[in-house]
Amino acid sequence: MMSLVTYRKASIKDLAEIAKVHVDSWQKSFASIINQSHLDNLSYKKREEAFKTGFGKGKDYNLIVAEINGQIVGFVDYGKPRSHEDEYESELYAIYILKDFQRKGIGKGLVNNCARDLIKKGINSMFTLALEVSPYKKFHEKLSDCVFKDKIIDFAQEKHQLIGFGWKDLKAYLEKNKLSIKKTPFLWG
């Protein structure tokens, strides 16, 4: 049986552990899918610096972690959209969970907490982009209410199609999942 998962806003002190989750998740989940040299060159230090840059954006950047027994096992970061501003008020930039903790509801808990936080800020829509080759497409399809093709990008020395997943109405998403908008976030799965 899995221990209780706690969700909370991240602090600057968490960034090294979050960077480790990010790199380890990529290396284990995308092995044999993404160019191996790209995966081998991922660095905890570079990822930590990228997260510090995000924190420097203030209220336009948000980061929630999932913890089990004091260990960060996953995270979601989100904020102002970098594209599709005419259709969505926010963007879910990334969601990663350590391989041993996947398929236990933690990802959905992170998305739910993200949705609640955005609604409390007066934001009611978001989207995320993922590589078409991502092993987590089904996860995004199941949670979102629309799927769209985005651009083709050069990534990891290869061309990849991006797929978008949108939530046009976050309040409706929470209601559909029988989740209270008013419930205090960061304390549930």
Side-chain angles (χ1 to χ4, degrees):
M1 181 176 181
M2 191 171 73
S3 298
L4 179 67
V5 180
T6 303
Y7 299 90
R8 65 173 174 81
K9 290 271 191 175
S11 74
I12 198 103
K13 295 181 295 185
D14 298 318
L15 297 184
E17 201 172 350
I18 292 167
K20 185 171 179 357
V21 168
H22 187 261
V23 170
D24 291 353
S25 296
W26 260 97
Q27 289 176 332
K28 289 186 176 145
S29 299
F30 287 88
S32 75
I33 297 172
I34 295 293
N35 184 313
Q36 190 60 44
S37 66
H38 175 79
L39 297 175
D40 293 342
N41 286 320
L42 293 174
S43 150
Y44 296 148
K45 189 71 177 151
K46 287 179 189 171
R47 289 311 312 153
E48 184 177 356
E49 289 303 316
F51 288 121
K52 280 182 187 169
T53 299
F55 259 84
K57 295 178 182 174
K59 64 180 180 160
D60 290 337
Y61 181 78
N62 304 277
L63 188 54
I64 296 172
V65 296
E67 284 184 314
I68 297 178
N69 298 326
Q71 176 193 358
I72 294 175
V73 299
F75 73 90
V76 62
D77 64 340
Y78 55 99
K80 271 185 123 166
R82 298 172 290 190
S83 63
H84 304 289
E85 301 89 351
D86 54 330
E87 296 174 77
Y88 297 97
E89 300 169 87
S90 62
E91 180 178 354
L92 188 160
Y93 304 131
I95 180 168
Y96 291 101
I97 297 119
L98 292 174
K99 192 87 169 152
D100 290 345
F101 296 93
Q102 293 176 7
R103 301 192 184 282
K104 299 180 186 312
I106 295 170
K108 186 174 182 181
L110 285 165
V111 171
N112 293 346
N113 276 289
C114 169
R116 274 203 184 132
D117 186 46
L118 289 169
I119 290 168
K120 286 186 175 206
K121 293 174 179 177
I123 296 169
N124 195 40
S125 65
M126 74 174 174
F127 76 98
T128 192
L129 296 174
L131 297 175
E132 189 173 45
V133 296
S134 171
Y136 306 110
K137 275 192 326 193
K138 292 279 187 222
F139 168 80
H140 293 299
E141 286 172 2
K142 184 177 176 185
L143 293 182
S144 64
D145 57 29
C146 67
V147 179
F148 57 93
K149 282 219 183 229
D150 199 67
K151 60 188 170 198
I152 294 175
I153 60 167
D154 286 315
F155 179 75
Q157 298 93 37
E158 302 168 320
K159 294 212 178 292
H160 288 280
Q161 174 71 55
L162 286 178
I163 303 292
F165 303 90
W167 291 259
K168 296 268 187 192
D169 186 340
L170 291 173
K171 289 178 187 170
Y173 164 76
L174 290 178
E175 289 166 5
K176 180 179 94 174
N177 288 286
K178 299 179 174 54
L179 299 170
S180 167
I181 294 166
K182 294 181 180 164
K183 184 174 179 172
T184 305
F186 316 125
L187 301 174
W188 55 280

